[in-house]
């Protein structure tokens, strides 16, 4: 009998009429849990619960909020094995990567807890005597969060921990592909002592997400997902009034390999970057931009190693590549490869779905390598699957043009032994994240995460700026002179 879960609202578990099943992508007949397919009314209830809890939470000193977040990180760390197994079962990530997903939440919790003892603003000398001038950060109130399935524990943690530290109440709408991961994440926070109503989780498809975007009681919306959905969320939110909307969207990340690169290192990086998480990371290496002098050798070595990757059940430690999230994703990916070939790309490896023994009904796409010209559509569009498109160039300048000519700007990598070339690339790549001699994936919590151009709208998650996203700056003047002092006037009288 499959467990049924409710929406988590005001500390209670509430059902909402119709339901949907979350399934194991490696075994789609296996239901992981049944969840409410919520509508706007559940979001309304969740916003009311968050607003009420937030009023009390705002009174809690920031270091005490941090202590609670540290305890939550400890609970997640203690439950890491169980949570990683759930991520593998519900989102199809292989176990080691699922462990990384959970660890990111632990790291985020600890990092944010540390920020609770750090500065929240700046002080400046006032131009008038006996007057203080400083900034601090105030909560927004209720913040809405809409998250994707591919980092089902990490991404909620990137948003929830800084938002809590900033003193907000939260309504989280996790992906319909990974609702139990969000449920367990919220449970860990409850176990750590989070007051009821501060973190409300509303399940469902697009409707509750859209309701969060337009609810007048939600002061800020933080969205991570695809570009088309992000555009919808932003325009819906803006249609009802000015609102802070942060968008973390897709990528078309490139790894540049120059002629002098350590090819063994580049080979390992390309394989992990392109086929890790079956290519379903926003930072996955989707393009290999390689110097013509080493292209043939590198491509044939990648194809040989990629052909040997073992597809299978993500919970089996011997599996290298798990399933894609569902059948529709598999069909979309294969159709993109077919179109690339029709447009003139050369299929070096893979390009089709494959049945995997013991995983009946799961959609597995063979690791795929294409060689293409820059104009082919797959060289510019996010695939979100295990497909690496190789583009050949004859110089760093040409490589930079290729990296920058797409609409996305999330992550880019350069492999070279020449420090001058490496740092020229760092300067020239128009992306939010740059790696030198490492693949396009592998971000760490203390640095900001996000991208340029259509990848986002200028916000960054994680890092020291994380808390800024979920708070508003307040300028404070305290006059303790006991008399009326006039800025700009007292000290600079008219001549
Ligand atoms: P998606 O856009 O399909 O869904 C994201 C979330 O939006 C889900 O919770 C979904 O239910 C919800 N949603 C759907 N329609 C909605 C609507 N009309 N209004 C409000 N919410 C709605 O994305 P996905 O398939 O879950 O995730 C994959 C995408 O996310 C990829 O494009 C990937 O690059 C991107 N991503 C970006 C980052 C980043 O930090 N930049 C991180 C991870 C994933």
């Amino acid at each position: 009998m499959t467990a049924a879960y409710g929406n988590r609202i005001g500390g209670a578990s509430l059902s909402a009429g119709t339901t949907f099943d979350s399934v194991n992508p490696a075994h789609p007949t296996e239901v992981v849990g049944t969840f409410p397919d919520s509508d706007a009314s559940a979001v309304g209830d969740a916003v009311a619960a968050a607003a009420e809890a937030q009023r009390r939470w705002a009174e809690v000193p920031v270091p005490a909020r941090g202590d609670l977040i540290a305890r939550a990180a400890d609970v997640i760390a203690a439950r890491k094995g169980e949570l990683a197994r759930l991520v593998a079962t519900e989102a199809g990530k292989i176990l080691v990567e699922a462990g990384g997903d959970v660890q990111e939440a632990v790291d985020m919790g600890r990092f944010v807890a540390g920020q609770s003892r750090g500065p929240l603003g700046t002080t400046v000398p006032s131009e008038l005597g006996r007057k203080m001038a400083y900034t601090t950060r105030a909560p927004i109130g209720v913040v809405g969060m809409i998250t994707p399935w591919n980092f089902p524990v990490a991404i909620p943690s990137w948003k929830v921990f800084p938002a809590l530290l900033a003193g907000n109440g939260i309504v989280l709408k996790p992906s319909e592909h990974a609702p139990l991961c969000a449920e367990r994440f919220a449970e860990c926070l409850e176990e750590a002592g989070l007051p009821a109503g501060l973190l409300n989780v509303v399940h469902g498809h697009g409707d509750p997400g859209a309701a969060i975007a337009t609810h007048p009681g939600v002061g800020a919306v933080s969205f991570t997902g695809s570009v088309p959905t992000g555009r919808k969320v932003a325009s819906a939110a803006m249609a009802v009034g000015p609102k802070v909307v942060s968008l973390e969207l897709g990528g078309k990340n490139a790894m540049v390999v120059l002629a002098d690169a350590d090819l063994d290192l580049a080979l390992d990086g390309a394989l992990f970057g392109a086929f890790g998480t079956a290519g379903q990371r926003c930072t996955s290496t989707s393009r290999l931009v390689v110097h013509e002098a080493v292209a043939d050798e590198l491509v044939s070595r990648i194809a040989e190693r990629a052909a040997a990757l073992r597809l299978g059940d993500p919970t089996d430690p011997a599996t290298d590549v798990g399933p894609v999230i569902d059948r529709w994703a598999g069909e979309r990916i294969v159709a993109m490869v077919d179109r690339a070939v029709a447009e003139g790309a050369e299929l070096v490896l893979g390009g089709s779905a494959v049945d995997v023994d013991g995983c009946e009904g799961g959609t597995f796409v063979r690791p795929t390598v294409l060689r293409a010209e820059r104009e082919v559509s797959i060289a510019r569009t996010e695939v979100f699957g295990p497909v690496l498109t190789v583009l050949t160039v004859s110089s760093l300048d040409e490589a930079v043009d290729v990296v920058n000519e797409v609409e996305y700007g999330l992550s880019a990598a350069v492999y070279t032994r020449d420090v001058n070339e490496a740092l020229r690339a760092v300067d020239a790549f128009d992306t939010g994240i740059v790696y030198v001699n490492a693949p396009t994936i592998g971000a760490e919590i203390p640095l900001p995460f996000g991208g340029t151009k259509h990848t986002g709208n200028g916000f960054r998650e994680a890092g020291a700026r994380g808390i800024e996203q979920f708070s508003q700056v307040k300028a404070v003047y305290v006059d303790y002179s006991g008399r009326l002092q006039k800025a700009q006037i007292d000290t600079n009288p008219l001549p």
Side-chain angles (χ1 to χ4, degrees):
M1 173 89 175
T2 310
Y5 300 85
N7 288 322
R8 204 173 253 275
I9 296 177
S13 175
L14 303 178
S15 58
T18 54
T19 59
F20 70 96
D21 290 337
S22 169
V23 300
N24 178 340
H27 309 274
T29 53
E30 182 190 318
V31 176
V32 176
T34 298
F35 292 84
D37 204 359
S38 314
D39 57 16
S41 69
V43 170
D45 294 344
V47 173
E52 199 190 319
Q54 189 270 335
R55 281 191 281 277
R56 288 187 295 275
W57 183 241
E59 301 290 321
V60 175
V62 176
R65 296 180 205 158
D67 291 346
L68 192 143
I69 291 167
R71 285 199 296 280
D74 289 345
V75 174
I76 296 169
R79 294 178 59 175
K80 181 173 171 181
E82 165 216 332
L83 292 170
R85 227 181 145 71
L86 173 62
V87 170
T89 306
E90 195 176 39
K93 279 184 164 182
I94 63 168
L95 265 184
V96 282
E97 292 174 1
D101 194 314
V102 177
Q103 187 59 43
E104 227 169 273
V106 175
D107 294 349
M108 191 65 183
R110 290 179 177 157
F111 180 78
V112 169
Q115 284 182 306
S116 71
R117 259 89 178 168
L120 279 182
T122 52
T123 61
V124 295
S126 168
E127 65 183 55
L128 298 162
R130 299 197 174 171
K131 190 175 173 193
M132 287 161 62
Y134 64 94
T135 64
T136 186
R137 314 266 344 164
I140 289 171
V142 176
V143 295
M145 303 170 177
I146 305 166
T147 53
W149 64 268
N150 68 331
F151 277 86
V153 177
I155 290 181
S157 83
W158 293 3
K159 298 182 191 297
V160 166
F161 287 141
L164 285 176
L165 188 72
N168 299 290
I170 295 166
V171 179
L172 167 66
K173 206 302 279 179
S175 167
E176 60 275 27
H177 291 298
L180 191 52
C181 289
E183 193 57 28
R184 295 287 182 242
F185 171 74
E187 195 179 278
C188 288
L189 271 65
E190 189 182 283
E191 212 176 305
L194 189 75
L198 267 186
L199 172 58
N200 303 277
V201 185
V202 179
H203 296 286
H205 292 80
D207 285 355
I212 286 174
T214 53
H215 196 293
V218 174
V221 182
S222 176
F223 174 84
T224 301
S226 62
V227 170
T229 315
R231 285 193 180 125
K232 279 189 212 164
V233 167
S235 54
M238 287 305 165
V240 296
K243 212 176 246 205
V244 179
V245 180
S246 63
L247 302 173
E248 299 289 343
L249 310 176
K252 186 69 192 173
N253 315 294
M255 173 195 283
V256 172
V257 180
L258 297 179
D260 71 325
D262 177 338
L263 285 196
D264 294 336
L265 193 65
L267 172 64
D268 286 341
L271 288 163
F272 183 49
F275 306 123
T277 321
Q280 300 168 106
R281 293 192 188 206
C282 51
T283 51
S284 286
T285 307
S286 190
R287 297 179 292 160
L288 182 73
V289 182
V290 56
H291 194 280
E292 58 196 5
V294 292
D296 289 348
E297 180 187 346
L298 187 58
V299 172
S300 81
R301 289 178 68 189
I302 288 173
E304 191 186 333
R305 286 268 300 274
L309 293 173
R310 190 163 175 270
L311 278 68
D313 188 309
T315 58
D316 178 350
T319 296
D320 297 311
V321 181
V324 295
I325 191 65
D326 61 16
R327 182 161 61 81
W328 293 273
E331 286 170 1
R332 184 185 49 76
I333 294 163
V334 171
M336 286 183 80
V337 175
D338 290 346
R339 180 170 169 200
V341 172
E343 289 176 14
E346 176 200 346
L347 183 63
V348 178
L349 182 77
S352 58
V354 60
D355 291 336
V356 167
D357 283 348
C359 295
E360 279 65 41
T363 302
F364 292 81
V365 176
R366 289 179 204 275
T368 298
V369 180
L370 291 160
R371 290 187 81 158
E373 300 295 328
R374 292 157 70 165
E375 293 70 29
V376 170
S377 52
I378 206 165
R380 292 159 186 266
T381 322
E382 183 178 42
V383 179
F384 214 59
V387 179
L388 181 66
T389 299
V390 181
L391 305 152
T392 305
V393 293
S394 55
S395 66
L396 173 60
D397 287 339
E398 192 186 352
V400 167
D401 286 346
V402 173
V403 170
N404 291 344
E405 71 188 358
V406 296
E407 67 175 17
Y408 302 98
L410 185 50
S411 171
V414 61
Y415 279 72
T416 176
R417 291 180 166 105
D418 182 332
V419 68
N420 295 351
E421 297 275 86
L423 293 178
R424 270 183 59 209
V426 169
D427 287 347
F429 289 161
D430 185 3
T431 56
I433 307 169
V434 177
Y435 292 92
V436 175
N437 292 327
T440 58
I441 64 180
E444 297 177 33
I445 285 309
L447 286 187
F449 185 95
T452 62
K453 300 190 276 186
H454 290 194
T455 291
N457 59 347
F459 286 87
R460 292 291 186 272
E461 297 202 316
R465 285 182 62 190
I467 192 171
E468 290 176 14
Q469 189 184 342
F470 297 105
S471 60
Q472 24 206 355
V473 69
K474 186 176 279 184
V476 183
Y477 301 95
V478 181
D479 191 321
Y480 55 101
S481 67
R483 60 196 167 85
L484 175 65
Q485 302 196 86
K486 303 191 197 88
Q488 294 90 40
I489 295 172
D490 288 358
T491 48
N492 297 284
L494 277 174

